[in-house]
Amino acid sequence: MAASISGTEANTALIAAHKPTGRISDPIFVGLLWASGIFVLVLLGFIIAMLFEGGLPALREFGISFVWSTMWNPVTERFGAGVMVYGTVLSAVIAVIVALPLSFGIAFFLTEIAPGRLRRPIGVAIQLLAAIPSIIYGMWGFFVVVPLIAAYVQPPLIEWLGPIPLIGALFQGPPLGAGMLTAGLILALMILPFITAMFVEVLESVPPMLKESAYGVGATTYEVYRNVSVPYGRTAMVGAVMLGLGRALGETMAVTFVIGNATRMSASLFAPGATIASTIANEFPEASIGSLKLQALLQLGFILFVISFIVLALSRLLVRSKLKS
């Protein structure tokens, strides 16, 4: 009994000794958490303010038509963002259209079909693709992909699809290799690892009982994938696709190498074009401090931020709608 009492007194003394430390450390810890969260908001606010204030003179000079104007002439100092906005959105959409089915196929193969000896090497290869710097993708695209597309992809597409009414306009023009289609393909390869990795995690999180129940009633592997696995993880999959889209919208170096960097708009996927990020990368070194050109480039950066924000908002709306359904 005496030993039990002495042990209780020791525990009480230990708790009492730690109480002052807890009273001091807990508020400090909570304060650091608040500071971390507020820091993110303040930093984001400073970036937005810098871009908006720096580009405001260009917006005052050209008006709201700056957003859709297709004029970009540094000689006459007439600037518009229309060509870059078009190129940014189109190249990102092409990337998602190409990467989405490939990501589904790879994720399905890794989670349902691939034997154990292949699953790990393929998974590591996908992770390595995500680790490759964007400038390496750009150099590879310029020296390898562009000549191949110019020689073996664009000529037959121009010959077969070019004469078709309506859609033929997408496949007309000289086979230069560099252009919107090539940029979209390189972007698709860059966002493929991110979307695939998230798809794999989602599919692996499906409860085995659900899939086994489907197999038990005679469902095929494809039917289980379509009716069980994909519906179970569709919310996270939508988020993965929107994450890949956001990644494609802001890519700079890889796109700069392969898009052709022509500040003119064309309906053809083979025509050279430009994105907001590639234009800023190409034109910024030549823009002097205080010049109208620099102000237009800063306004382009603000527009890219707005586009990214819209994509984020749409992704949240889609995820919420999926959760409600």
Side-chain angles (χ1 to χ4, degrees):
M1 181 66 70
S4 176
I5 294 174
S6 62
T8 303
E9 291 175 352
N11 291 335
T12 304
L14 183 62
I15 294 173
H18 280 78
K19 278 186 177 180
T21 305
R23 293 194 187 100
I24 297 173
S25 61
D26 191 64
I28 294 176
F29 178 68
V30 173
L32 290 175
L33 294 181
W34 272 95
S36 300
I38 293 174
F39 172 75
V40 174
L41 295 177
V42 172
L43 180 62
L44 181 62
F46 272 125
I47 294 175
I48 297 173
M50 184 273 293
L51 291 174
F52 181 75
E53 183 181 2
L56 189 59
L59 193 62
R60 289 173 177 169
E61 176 72 19
F62 305 111
I64 192 64
S65 62
F66 175 86
V67 177
W68 58 78
S69 173
T70 59
M71 174 66 70
W72 187 270
N73 192 335
V75 177
T76 60
E77 291 195 331
R78 302 297 300 174
F79 302 105
V83 173
M84 297 75 176
V85 172
Y86 170 78
T88 299
V89 174
L90 180 59
S91 60
V93 170
I94 293 173
V96 172
I97 291 174
V98 174
L100 183 57
L102 290 175
S103 297
F104 267 119
I106 296 172
F108 179 59
F109 176 75
L110 291 177
T111 56
E112 299 292 340
I113 298 177
R117 65 180 181 274
L118 281 180
R119 188 173 303 171
R120 182 174 179 82
I122 295 177
V124 172
I126 293 173
Q127 294 175 359
L128 289 176
L129 285 177
I132 297 176
S134 61
I135 193 169
I136 302 301
Y137 278 109
M139 295 172 64
W140 175 74
F142 182 78
F143 289 109
V144 177
V145 178
V146 168
L148 289 176
I149 289 181
Y152 301 107
V153 177
Q154 291 181 346
L157 289 179
I158 293 172
E159 180 181 356
W160 299 336
L161 301 179
I164 300 177
L166 297 180
I167 67 170
L170 299 174
F171 305 98
Q172 293 179 352
L176 302 176
M180 299 299 301
L181 178 63
T182 308
L185 294 177
I186 297 298
L187 285 175
L189 187 60
M190 295 182 67
I191 67 175
L192 180 69
F194 299 98
I195 300 178
T196 302
M198 295 189 68
F199 279 4
V200 169
E201 291 186 7
V202 170
L203 295 176
E204 288 180 343
S205 67
V206 178
M209 182 180 64
L210 295 179
K211 295 191 289 186
E212 291 172 1
S213 300
Y215 284 125
V217 296
T220 64
T221 303
Y222 170 72
E223 289 172 339
V224 171
Y225 180 70
R226 185 188 65 182
N227 299 321
V228 177
S229 300
V230 173
Y232 182 86
R234 60 182 178 180
T235 299
M237 289 180 175
V238 170
V241 173
M242 300 308 288
L243 177 65
L245 178 59
R247 174 79 171 84
L249 287 171
E251 177 52 42
T252 304
M253 293 309 301
V255 174
T256 304
F257 272 90
V258 300
I259 200 170
N261 301 303
T263 54
R264 58 180 181 270
M265 187 180 297
S266 174
S268 176
L269 299 177
F270 301 153
T275 64
I276 293 177
S278 68
T279 301
I280 293 175
N282 284 321
E283 304 282 350
F284 195 85
E286 302 174 359
S288 57
I289 301 298
S291 64
L292 187 60
K293 182 178 182 179
L294 178 61
Q295 295 162 358
L297 292 174
L298 291 173
Q299 189 62 33
L300 281 179
F302 180 75
I303 293 173
L304 180 59
F305 176 85
V306 172
I307 294 174
S308 301
F309 178 79
I310 292 173
V311 170
L312 176 61
L314 288 175
S315 66
R316 294 182 67 88
L317 288 175
L318 288 173
V319 169
R320 288 180 180 178
S321 65
K322 294 295 183 182
L323 288 174
K324 290 179 181 179
S325 61

